Amino acid sequence: MRHLLRKLGFYVVALWAALTVNFAIPRMMPGDPVEIMLSKMGQKGPVTAETRRAIEALLGADSSRPLWSQYADYLTGLARGDLGVSLVFFPAPVTSIIGQTLPWTIGLIGLATVISFLTGVGLGTLAGWKRGSWTDNLIPVTTMFQSVPYFWLALILLFVFGSIWPVFPLNGGYDVYGVTPGWNGPFLGSVLYYGTLPALTIIISSIGGWMLGMRNMMVSTLSEDYMLTAEAKGLKPGRIMRRYAARNAILPSISGFAISLGFVVAGSIVTEAVFSYPGIGSALLQAVGGNDYALMQGIFLIITLSVLGANLLVDLLYSVIDPRTRTTS
């Protein structure tokens, strides 16, 4: 329990530090969202001083107030679940924009990351267990795809499967003209169809790293003394591979997987930009282009929570997989 409380205390402090940085960075960036909003309004007529003060209060960028007061309002708003109003999607609240875009990102990139991890670790286990087999010979091919820049691989797949051989659509998240959004078969099928090519790009570009890492750890684990002891006991090869070799060899891969899950939101930017996918990465690009502080802070907050949550989960999972990491103090 003391070990768990220490872990939780560390992550609470890390969260507070991340929130503070999240508050400071957008205000240090060049550009003023209030001026951008007022310039848009000024095209339709004169803007009064009262209107300016109202816009500053609405966007949480009142320069007349001290920074500590803005920081206190920022933390108070977070406690209430109020992330402010988006400038780019004005007058929609930030929580609404995140709520609409985040499921698309988690569904596409999160699921593709899980599939690539499970497939890569499984093939890497077989490659390390049976060196010189066909699975072992796959590693140079998969690592070659990993060395190709992601956006270049995405463009190649778009050209091949979207233009030369038009199997998949070039952009979008679903057929906006043919289906109605909701929990119905046609819509879900359209989402899977439109998301196949982006997900395939992620899997192809990342599976090689999981395979290579797991294969090398399997080779190293097979030389340990406890592996010889397990074989001397007469245990079945399948049980030795799963319970003794793979269970110990997978520990570094789990750490990498936790980091990958944490950066699912951050890693969605390139994917959604290439495929024009309606996820949170596209919203972040628009927020940066429009100096939308509130929306940037909201998305950065989601990235922070996902990274911290993934690392906390892997810390707890480590103690289950490897009892040696548990402390008795």
Side-chain angles (χ1 to χ4, degrees):
M1 181 60 68
R2 291 175 59 185
H3 174 67
L4 177 61
L5 291 177
R6 282 199 302 268
K7 286 288 185 183
L8 292 177
F10 167 78
Y11 281 103
V12 168
V13 174
L15 177 61
W16 170 78
L19 292 179
T20 303
V21 173
N22 188 26
F23 169 81
I25 287 181
R27 285 163 175 77
M28 295 166 55
M29 296 175 60
D32 187 351
V34 176
E35 294 296 336
I36 296 175
M37 189 69 183
L38 292 177
S39 64
K40 293 180 180 179
M41 298 178 64
Q43 297 176 359
K44 300 181 181 180
V47 179
T48 63
E50 290 78 9
T51 302
R52 181 184 183 89
R53 287 193 292 270
I55 294 298
E56 288 178 343
L58 181 63
L59 299 179
D62 189 355
S63 57
S64 64
R65 298 172 53 206
L67 198 60
W68 66 265
S69 178
Q70 298 180 39
Y71 180 65
D73 289 344
Y74 166 71
L75 294 180
T76 304
L78 288 181
R80 297 196 309 263
D82 181 13
L83 301 179
V85 178
S86 172
L87 173 63
V88 175
F89 301 95
F90 186 85
V94 172
T95 52
S96 175
I97 302 302
I98 293 177
Q100 293 173 7
T101 57
L102 186 59
W104 291 94
T105 298
I106 294 177
L108 170 65
I109 301 182
L111 185 59
T113 302
V114 172
I115 293 175
S116 64
F117 171 76
L118 295 178
T119 306
V121 166
L123 292 176
T125 300
L126 295 177
W129 182 255
K130 297 182 179 180
R131 281 167 284 179
S133 62
W134 67 271
T135 52
D136 201 9
N137 295 328
L138 280 178
I139 292 180
V141 179
T142 56
T143 52
M144 178 194 68
F145 284 114
Q146 187 182 18
S147 63
V148 177
Y150 174 78
F151 66 90
W152 183 248
L153 179 61
L155 291 175
I156 292 176
L157 291 180
L158 274 176
F159 179 70
V160 173
F161 295 105
S163 299
I164 297 180
W165 186 29
V167 179
F168 300 107
L170 294 175
N171 53 60
Y174 67 98
D175 185 2
V176 295
Y177 302 105
V179 298
T180 302
W183 292 102
N184 54 77
F187 173 73
L188 296 178
S190 179
V191 169
L192 291 175
Y193 176 56
Y194 274 71
T196 298
L197 194 57
L200 186 62
T201 307
I202 297 172
I203 293 173
I204 292 176
S205 63
S206 59
I207 194 173
W210 300 121
M211 281 189 65
L212 181 61
M214 188 63 183
R215 188 263 184 194
N216 292 339
M217 286 304 302
M218 281 289 293
V219 172
S220 176
T221 303
L222 290 175
S223 63
E224 297 292 338
D225 293 337
Y226 59 84
M227 296 298 301
L228 297 176
T229 304
E231 294 176 359
K233 289 181 178 180
L235 299 178
K236 295 181 179 180
R239 184 179 180 184
I240 296 176
M241 181 183 68
R242 294 188 303 269
R243 299 294 300 274
Y244 289 81
R247 183 174 180 178
N248 290 280
I250 200 175
L251 293 178
S253 296
I254 290 179
S255 298
F257 179 61
I259 297 174
S260 298
L261 282 183
F263 282 98
V264 160
V265 177
S268 66
I269 299 175
V270 176
T271 305
E272 295 173 6
V274 173
F275 292 97
S276 300
Y277 201 76
I280 203 169
S282 298
L284 180 58
L285 284 176
Q286 296 181 60
V288 173
N291 291 325
D292 191 343
Y293 289 173
L295 185 54
M296 281 190 285
Q297 286 179 331
I299 296 177
F300 291 158
L301 175 63
I302 297 299
I303 295 174
T304 300
L305 293 177
S306 61
V307 172
L308 291 177
N311 281 275
L312 176 60
L313 178 62
V314 87
D315 276 345
L316 300 177
L317 188 61
Y318 248 86
S319 61
V320 176
I321 297 177
D322 188 359
R324 295 172 298 180
T325 61
R326 301 173 187 171
T327 60
T328 57
S329 59

